[in-house]
Amino acid sequence: MITIGLYTEDRTLHPLLSSALGKDFKVQLQLDADGMEELIQAGECDVLILDLNSNRGTLQERIGCSQRLIESNLPAIIMADDSLRSTAFELVRAGAFAYCRRPPSIRDLKTMLQRACETTLLKRQLQTVQQQVVKPGCDQIIGTSPQMERVYQLVRSVTNLNAAVLVTGESGTGKELIARAIHNLGSRANKPFVAVSCGAIPETLIEAELFGHEKGAFTGTVGAREGYFEQAADGTLFLDEIGDLSLFTQVKLLRVLQQMEFNRLGSSRTIPLRARLVFATHQDLAKLVAEGKFRQDLYYRINVMSIESPALQDRVEDIGLIARHFLAKYSETFQKPMQGIEPDALEMLQSYSWPGNVRELENVMQRAIILAPGNTLRAADLTINIQDESSANQFNSDGVVDIADYHPAGSFERQLNDYKVKLAVNAVRDNNGNKTLAARSLCISRAYLHRLIRIAEPEATLEPTPIRQSATA
């Protein structure tokens, strides 16, 4: 039941709304602002209806009272007739949830009340999740898995050290979030945090971008400019994708780390290095050193302390937490309240391999929220590649699916997709790995057959079925 705090002096409005809204709504009448504030503080209502026409005082006093009530954590619906419509919209822009015309349309009002409660519920769920899984000072890092607990431990151990830290891990795992957590937890938290992607800066400009330059240092300069090392000042400089630096730039960086000072291009004045340095890469630097693509002495300089950001597929238990975080975040961004994720959709998310890690999961959740027709996320709302891989994971140990034993489950779209994949895999098996004959047997194109089986294991889809010899042979 949704409990409504109704603030109005119109006593006839209370029985009217109580009767019209039905048994799913409980309306509590308050005739003055003090009583309304007490009701809010006691936590005895879920949503507010503020009647702008029928309250005490001048219009300005009523607006001021409404603004105070809007500042509470509860969604407020402004009810006003056409003469005060513009004022009501101003209050909506100031933070009220919605405007409802007076006299109200009961159907529209019910919809507003339900959406307001759903939004409040999502905000509370998001706050609860953040309190449970976001470690203090660790920004938006989410996870309770053993791998993430290890990351939190390492982050706390290096926060106030001036030693260089190297954060490693696949793309999309949140290496910059770890760097920000190191910065936010330490004594430099109120100082600048400057993030630089080394791979995004052209080789001809990177030295000037990092160290700065004086006027006339090279063609095209019109004035002096501070580099990233100066901009970081006493804060933290985060150099991402350090493995993309050329050997020439690596020499320059090594000298800065050894001397703890640098020069702007075109200047002989030395500037002391005051910033804390955090490096990151998705590449195997030890392998690059062995191949002669990364300086060994620089590798030892930046790898004083190493923190590995785990891949998403290595911490499956965190996928649900992260997915719900994005569900709450983008439901509010897209103004499309979502109540949760259906179990089969969550199972699909947890069984997917996530080559793009958390960044890919965020993209998938945004798309699914936009496309979802209802207020819960279904398996059918997920991208085809996730549904396909989930289907492939249902094959038996021999990679063969017995169509006669196939028992469909889930949404119609998922059942249909699963069955198509199973037919394709079995057709390839029946034709001893010949995909042309397999496609012809199903009356589909070879390209379409290949798309259906592309996410299955090669051994499960392409090897021909061995010919069994009869027992009398």
Side-chain angles (χ1 to χ4, degrees):
M1 178 180 290
I2 296 175
T3 303
I4 303 165
L6 174 61
Y7 175 39
T8 181
E9 291 182 13
D10 185 355
R11 295 179 181 270
T12 63
L13 192 58
H14 178 239
L16 175 65
L17 291 181
S18 296
S19 174
L21 290 174
K23 62 181 181 180
D24 293 333
F25 298 87
K26 178 183 177 182
V27 183
Q28 296 198 46
L29 175 65
Q30 288 295 330
L31 301 175
D32 58 74
D34 292 338
M36 198 67 182
E37 290 176 351
E38 291 177 3
L39 189 68
I40 294 172
Q41 292 174 0
E44 297 180 0
C45 57
D46 303 308
V47 62
L48 311 179
I49 295 180
L50 310 180
D51 187 358
L52 204 59
N53 287 90
S54 301
N55 285 316
R56 293 188 180 93
T58 64
L59 177 59
Q60 289 303 317
E61 290 173 340
R62 281 178 273 162
I63 293 173
C65 178
S66 297
Q67 288 174 333
R68 289 195 305 274
L69 295 175
I70 289 170
E71 291 175 358
S72 70
N73 291 327
L74 296 178
I77 295 175
I78 307 299
M79 184 177 291
D81 61 21
D82 290 342
S83 65
L84 295 178
R85 183 177 180 180
S86 60
T87 303
F89 279 123
E90 287 296 327
L91 290 172
V92 170
R93 280 190 281 269
F97 181 79
Y99 155 71
C100 178
R101 187 174 180 271
R102 192 181 198 275
S105 162
I106 298 302
R107 185 178 64 179
D108 292 345
L109 182 58
K110 279 185 177 182
T111 302
M112 288 182 194
L113 292 169
Q114 289 169 344
R115 288 180 177 174
C117 288
E118 289 169 358
T119 301
T120 302
L121 178 62
L122 280 172
K123 288 181 178 179
R124 289 174 180 170
Q125 289 176 343
L126 177 58
Q127 291 172 355
T128 302
V129 168
Q130 289 175 336
Q131 291 170 0
Q132 290 176 346
V133 301
V134 179
K135 301 296 180 179
C138 285
D139 203 359
Q140 294 299 312
I141 305 176
I142 295 176
T144 57
S145 62
Q147 294 90 336
M148 292 310 299
E149 289 296 339
R150 174 64 175 163
V151 170
Y152 299 139
Q153 179 184 352
L154 291 174
V155 165
R156 287 191 291 267
S157 68
V158 301
T159 50
N160 289 314
L161 300 178
N162 285 324
V165 177
L166 176 64
V167 184
T168 61
E170 298 176 7
S171 296
T173 56
K175 295 187 289 294
E176 183 173 339
L177 292 181
I178 293 175
R180 288 185 181 274
I182 294 171
H183 174 79
N184 293 336
L185 278 171
S187 58
R188 302 173 185 261
N190 60 343
K191 304 296 183 181
F193 177 88
V194 178
V196 182
S197 177
C198 297
I201 305 174
E203 175 62 27
T204 55
L205 296 177
I206 192 165
E207 189 176 355
E209 292 292 311
L210 293 177
F211 309 127
H213 61 79
E214 297 293 345
K215 181 179 180 180
F218 54 89
T219 304
T221 56
V222 294
R225 180 184 179 278
E226 288 185 349
Y228 293 124
F229 277 85
E230 279 186 85
Q231 293 174 28
D234 293 308
T236 300
L237 177 61
F238 173 57
L239 295 178
D240 195 9
E241 299 304 343
I242 192 71
D244 290 341
L245 289 179
S246 68
L247 290 172
F248 175 79
T249 307
Q250 290 176 34
V251 173
K252 297 285 185 178
L253 179 59
L254 177 62
R255 183 185 180 283
V256 172
L257 297 180
Q258 289 174 334
Q259 304 297 325
M260 296 300 292
E261 60 184 20
F262 59 94
N263 304 82
R264 289 185 184 179
L265 290 183
S267 172
S268 59
R269 180 176 65 91
T270 59
I271 302 172
L273 174 62
R274 309 196 310 268
R276 164 78 177 275
L277 297 180
V278 180
F279 306 90
T281 182
H282 73 281
Q283 302 184 67
D284 184 347
L285 292 187
K287 182 179 179 181
L288 293 182
V289 169
E291 295 173 350
K293 298 178 181 178
F294 199 86
R295 292 185 62 94
Q296 187 177 54
D297 44 7
L298 177 60
Y299 175 63
Y300 291 140
R301 282 280 181 183
I302 68 176
N303 193 26
V304 176
M305 184 69 187
S306 179
I307 300 176
E308 182 178 0
S309 183
L312 188 56
Q313 66 176 350
D314 294 334
R315 51 187 185 111
V316 176
E317 55 267 59
D318 291 335
I319 291 176
L321 294 173
I322 301 171
R324 292 187 184 97
H325 166 77
F326 288 138
L327 184 75
K329 176 182 177 180
Y330 290 106
S331 292
E332 184 173 359
T333 300
F334 300 145
Q335 297 183 352
K336 187 177 180 181
M338 302 288 289
Q339 292 182 347
I341 305 173
E342 292 186 359
D344 58 341
L346 183 58
E347 183 180 352
M348 238 180 228
L349 292 174
Q350 291 174 332
S351 64
Y352 182 60
S353 59
W354 297 111
N357 293 292
V358 178
R359 187 179 294 125
E360 183 184 4
L361 175 56
E362 182 176 12
N363 177 273
V364 166
M365 292 300 296
Q366 289 183 65
R367 181 183 182 278
I369 291 169
I370 293 172
L371 296 179
N375 56 9
T376 57
L377 201 66
R378 310 166 306 152
D381 300 326
L382 300 176
T383 53
I384 292 296
N385 60 315
I386 293 178
Q387 297 181 41
D388 285 351
E389 186 166 315
S390 177
S391 301
N393 290 336
Q394 297 173 17
F395 297 156
N396 63 27
S397 60
D398 296 326
V400 180
V401 181
D402 188 350
I403 300 298
D405 294 335
Y406 173 60
H407 301 289
S411 66
F412 174 77
E413 291 85 355
R414 180 180 179 184
Q415 293 179 38
L416 183 61
N417 184 72
D418 290 354
Y419 199 71
K420 286 179 179 179
V421 174
K422 290 170 172 59
L423 284 172
V425 171
N426 281 4
V428 173
R429 285 283 180 177
D430 292 343
N431 288 276
N432 295 319
N434 189 318
K435 287 186 282 185
T436 300
L437 293 178
R440 191 176 300 165
S441 69
L442 295 174
C443 297
I444 61 175
S445 68
R446 191 177 186 278
Y448 183 47
L449 176 81
H450 184 71
R451 188 173 74 83
L452 287 173
I453 64 174
R454 74 186 186 281
I455 43 79
E457 292 293 330
E459 294 81 6
T461 59
L462 299 182
E463 289 185 354
T465 304
I467 301 173
R468 298 181 181 177
Q469 296 187 9
S470 65
T472 59

